[in-house]
């Protein structure tokens, strides 16, 4: 699948190993036997942070709520694309931009090319750590402890599990968001931090 981005397209070459990027667990599948391989340095799960960020009253509080809503929309679009195998480029562009869009489009493409679909869902626990409304465009940062214990990759042809044994059930993620000219927030960077546990 090729996802369009403006006048050009996002294309990802076939890789010998599939990064289970949406679960962001860095599991890989061998192209030869379709057997999962062990992930690199799995993290031990720990207690996730609170599920919502505390919003202050006034404009800063509204910005915090809007950033959290944008992150929820991004997560829902990702889950829909990976569980159905279908992605609407316009919808993805409505929730993601920059490296977050490129990474998400690439993950969806690689999953399709490998014949993988996802079952279940991710559970997020985002916290807005900063909102900068003094610069233009406005920017925000978030952290998340994503629970992927019920988010499973399977080979659609056989139904066999495509996630490596030992894959961690939770993953710490650094997230950035940017506000578009019309006022809508979009996720601009989504970076797992495997040096930290949550």
């Amino acid at each position: 699948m090729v996802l369009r981005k403006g006048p050009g397209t996002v294309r990802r070459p076939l890789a010998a190993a599939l990064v289970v990027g949406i679960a962001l667990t860095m599991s890989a599948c061998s192209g030869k036997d379709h057997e999962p391989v062990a992930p690199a340095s799995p993290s031990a799960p720990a207690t996730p942070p609170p599920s919502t960020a505390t919003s202050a009253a006034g404009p800063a509080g509204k910005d915090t709520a809007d950033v959290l809503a944008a992150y929820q929309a991004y997560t829902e679009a990702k889950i829909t694309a990976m569980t159905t195998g279908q992605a609407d480029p316009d919808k993805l562009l409505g929730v993601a931009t920059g490296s977050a869009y490129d990474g998400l489009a690439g993950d969806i493409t690689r999953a399709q090319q490998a014949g993988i679909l996802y079952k279940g869902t991710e559970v997020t626990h985002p916290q807005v750590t900063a909102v900068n409304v003094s610069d233009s465009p406005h920017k925000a940062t978030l952290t998340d402890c994503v629970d992927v214990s019920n988010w499973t990759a399977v080979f659609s042809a056989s139904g066999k599990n495509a996630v490596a044994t030992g894959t961690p059930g939770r993953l710490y993620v650094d997230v950035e968001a940017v506000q578009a000219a019309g006022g809508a927030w979009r996720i601009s960077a989504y970076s797992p931090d495997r040096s930290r546990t949550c």
Side-chain angles (χ1 to χ4, degrees), residues 55-167:
S55 298
K62 181 182 185 310
D63 286 328
T64 295
D66 289 347
V67 169
L68 287 172
Y71 183 65
Q72 181 63 30
Y74 169 88
T75 302
E76 289 173 359
K78 174 175 63 175
I79 290 171
T80 298
M82 296 303 286
T83 55
T84 64
Q86 303 293 324
D88 180 345
D90 291 332
K91 185 170 184 179
L92 295 185
L93 283 170
V95 298
T97 188
S99 66
Y101 175 89
D102 291 342
L104 180 54
D107 290 335
I108 294 167
T109 298
R110 283 189 291 273
Q112 275 206 330
Q113 290 170 339
I116 285 178
L117 287 176
Y118 282 73
K119 293 184 177 180
T121 190
E122 292 183 341
V123 179
T124 62
H125 305 87
Q127 290 183 307
V128 176
T129 55
V131 178
N132 183 347
V133 295
S134 61
D135 291 339
S136 182
H138 298 172
K139 296 179 181 178
T141 56
L142 306 85
T143 58
D144 193 4
C145 178
V146 184
D147 184 343
V148 294
S149 58
N150 189 38
W151 179 239
T152 305
V154 298
F155 294 106
S156 55
S158 65
K160 292 177 68 174
N161 194 322
V163 179
T165 302
T167 295

Side-chain angles (χ1 to χ4, degrees), residues 10-37:
V10 175
R11 296 178 185 273
R12 301 283 183 186
L14 281 170
L18 167 70
V19 176
V20 183
I22 300 301
L24 289 171
T25 54
M26 291 302 289
S27 61
C29 313
S30 74
K32 190 182 289 183
D33 299 318
H34 286 163
E35 291 295 325
V37 297

